[in-house]
Amino acid sequence: MTMVLLGHQTVGAHRPGPSRRTLSLALASAAAVLLTGCWFVVRQYNERPPWADDVTYEAGFIQGNRVRQYDPTGQEVRKLLAGGCEELPSAGLGGRKASYNPGLWVDGCLAGAAGRQPERQGLLH
């Protein structure tokens, strides 16, 4: 590309950048580093997410809260508070998230069934 300035000579305005080969190698290297990092994260945590404790507590809380909201007589809530929350994960009814940490799932279930605010909610708990 040439640039013409009025009253002056023609000036070359083209500034060469990196070649396509260099850009391709840089992109391929960045993709390889990203994929390697993802592979290490998956290998480290497998099917259990790194924030599994928060997920477990919240899943238990949601279960207890749902029972509380949809129980018109209050009988199911009394069952949960009297030991039903402990029985659900041991019977396999707490779901996959309860298997990450059954104790935290039970704590969340009890908090939800009792109508308390969740203790472990948000980024800073």
Side-chain angles (χ1 to χ4, degrees):
M1 178 171 143
T2 57
M3 189 164 41
V4 178
L5 300 175
L6 298 176
H8 292 69
Q9 302 178 30
T10 304
V11 178
H14 185 288
R15 294 189 179 100
S19 67
R20 288 184 180 164
R21 179 175 180 250
T22 305
L23 287 175
S24 298
L25 287 174
L27 183 62
S29 298
V33 168
L34 180 68
L35 288 174
T36 303
C38 290
W39 179 76
F40 277 121
V41 168
V42 168
R43 186 172 166 226
Q44 174 72 29
Y45 295 106
N46 199 8
E47 294 180 7
R48 184 178 194 267
W51 53 88
D53 288 344
D54 295 337
V55 169
T56 301
Y57 180 85
E58 188 172 330
F61 181 83
I62 289 172
Q63 178 69 28
N65 197 20
R66 282 184 183 158
V67 170
R68 181 176 180 78
Q69 289 177 352
Y70 296 111
D71 184 20
T73 62
Q75 188 174 6
E76 293 297 319
V77 172
R78 285 191 291 278
K79 283 182 186 177
L80 284 181
L81 294 175
C85 284
E86 290 86 5
E87 294 174 6
L88 288 175
S90 62
L93 299 174
R96 182 179 199 164
K97 295 174 185 172
S99 67
Y100 297 149
N101 188 338
L104 277 178
W105 191 93
V106 169
D107 291 345
C109 179
L110 290 172
R116 295 190 304 259
Q117 286 285 26
E119 298 171 6
R120 302 174 55 90
Q121 187 179 28
L123 296 175
L124 303 172
H125 52 76

